[in-house]
Amino acid sequence: MKNFNPGSMVDTKRPYDFANISFLFLTPIVGFGVGSWYILNYGITWLEILNCFIMYMLTGIGITAGYHRYYAHRTYDCAGFLKAYYLLFGAAAAQNSVLNWSSDHRYHHRFVDTDADPYNVKRGGLWAHVGWIFYKNTENDEVRYKNVPDLLKDRWILWQHRWYIAILAVVSFGLPAAVGLLEGRPWGGLLWGGFIRVVLVHHTTFFINSLAHTSAFGAKQHFSDHHTSFDSPFLALLTVGEGYHNFHHEFAHDYRNGIKWYHYDPTKWFIRTCEILGFASNL
């Protein structure tokens, strides 16, 4: 088997990923540019605001409880319908398939703050936030996915990986447009529940890779100063509870990020509620 080459994950000589670059530039232009024009000409309804908020929470939890705490770290077991939800709405967050996302995240934890960390903040905040996504991963599948052998055994994960773009189109954009159609405003639904919400989910998630690895907004290192992760209650508010990042890096197999009762961590509350209802176990 070919050996893992850490440098290949961050080598800026890799080819640009123009699909990612285009998507990351066009979604805010459409969302906020076209969205502003739409509001000026057609106004905004409560359903459109609700559409945006509900899709934000559904896709946000799909990433935090699903992609992150379930698939990447295996911090609990869950029922089949929850896995289906994570695969569908995690894809709708437009952050790649769970196979790619989890592989990148496991490398981040294993090699944090080194050249083998895909979003190493020591290469700069912009690199950690979004720059690393602008380049293609050129490793072959055997090498890239050697750290996710458990996920490769799951046929539904492989299904999602194969059909990721189609799921993204239908759930991330088709569904909110259909909601908007209920009041005869499919374009409003598409803009608010689709494009604007995608931009918000993207950059709040990306804040964990960038800002949560700095002391911004008064963040503290309560558990370790051996790496750049920080605990930030402010970022927790923006990321459905993911802001307690110093704790997470020290105890990655804990299903919680916020461990105090007063820590804002809706993802923890969601998983705990699922356990009470019998949908999750082995937290």
Side-chain angles (χ1 to χ4, degrees):
M1 179 182 292
K2 181 182 175 184
N3 292 327
F4 173 62
N5 176 14
S8 67
M9 299 189 70
V10 295
D11 184 4
T12 52
K13 294 180 181 179
R14 292 177 297 156
Y16 286 113
D17 192 324
F18 288 106
N20 282 355
I21 293 171
S22 299
F23 192 84
L24 287 165
F25 275 98
L26 288 175
T27 46
I29 291 173
V30 173
F32 293 99
V34 178
S36 297
W37 172 86
Y38 187 87
I39 292 170
L40 288 173
N41 285 274
Y42 300 100
I44 181 175
T45 70
W46 283 107
L47 181 60
E48 287 165 352
I49 296 174
L50 190 63
N51 196 355
C52 182
F53 175 75
I54 291 176
M55 283 296 295
Y56 179 88
M57 292 303 297
L58 286 172
T59 53
I61 291 290
I63 290 293
T64 60
Y67 272 35
H68 188 202
R69 304 190 199 186
Y70 177 66
Y71 284 111
H73 291 297
R74 296 301 200 184
T75 65
Y76 63 102
D77 296 323
C78 66
F81 79 91
L82 271 182
K83 297 176 187 178
Y85 158 56
Y86 294 153
L87 293 176
L88 293 176
F89 283 89
Q95 296 178 28
N96 220 322
S97 70
V98 70
L99 193 64
N100 287 333
W101 198 102
S102 297
S103 176
D104 289 337
H105 192 68
R106 289 183 185 182
Y107 281 129
H108 167 65
H109 273 264
R110 182 178 177 187
F111 300 111
V112 63
D113 300 333
T114 72
D115 282 343
D117 176 355
Y119 26 97
N120 175 15
V121 77
K122 291 187 176 180
R123 292 178 63 90
L126 185 60
W127 171 269
H129 189 76
V130 72
W132 70 282
I133 307 172
F134 289 174
Y135 298 89
K136 290 183 178 180
N137 188 316
T138 55
E139 295 283 11
N140 63 48
D141 289 353
E142 183 181 25
V143 174
R144 180 173 186 183
Y145 301 132
K146 68 187 296 183
N147 67 338
V148 286
D150 54 320
L151 304 187
L152 290 172
K153 298 174 183 178
D154 189 317
R155 63 190 180 98
W156 292 111
I157 290 175
L158 298 181
W159 172 84
Q160 190 236 32
H161 183 71
R162 186 178 306 113
W163 295 101
Y164 165 71
I165 298 298
I167 298 169
L168 171 64
V170 172
V171 182
S172 191
F173 298 103
L175 179 59
V179 172
L181 191 60
L182 294 175
E183 60 176 359
R185 294 167 61 96
W187 294 112
L190 179 61
L191 285 168
W192 279 95
F195 285 96
I196 293 173
R197 181 267 316 165
V198 160
V199 175
L200 294 175
V201 170
H202 268 175
H203 290 282
T204 52
T205 302
F206 299 164
F207 282 157
I208 299 303
N209 300 338
S210 56
L211 293 181
H213 281 270
T214 73
S215 58
F217 305 109
K220 304 293 184 182
Q221 291 185 309
H222 293 115
F223 299 93
S224 174
D225 60 1
H226 294 158
H227 40 75
T228 58
S229 64
F230 286 79
D231 289 336
S232 171
F234 174 74
L235 288 179
L237 293 174
L238 300 179
T239 57
V240 206
E242 295 285 87
Y244 302 99
H245 204 53
N246 190 246
F247 171 83
H248 173 64
H249 264 272
E250 283 300 293
F251 306 101
H253 295 291
D254 194 316
Y255 79 98
R256 306 164 299 171
N257 268 201
I259 58 172
K260 302 293 186 179
W261 67 267
Y262 53 84
H263 284 166
Y264 182 79
D265 187 357
T267 302
K268 169 186 68 179
W269 303 332
F270 174 81
I271 296 169
R272 182 73 178 92
T273 300
C274 287
E275 182 192 41
I276 292 170
L277 295 174
F279 305 144
S281 60
N282 299 321
L283 275 57

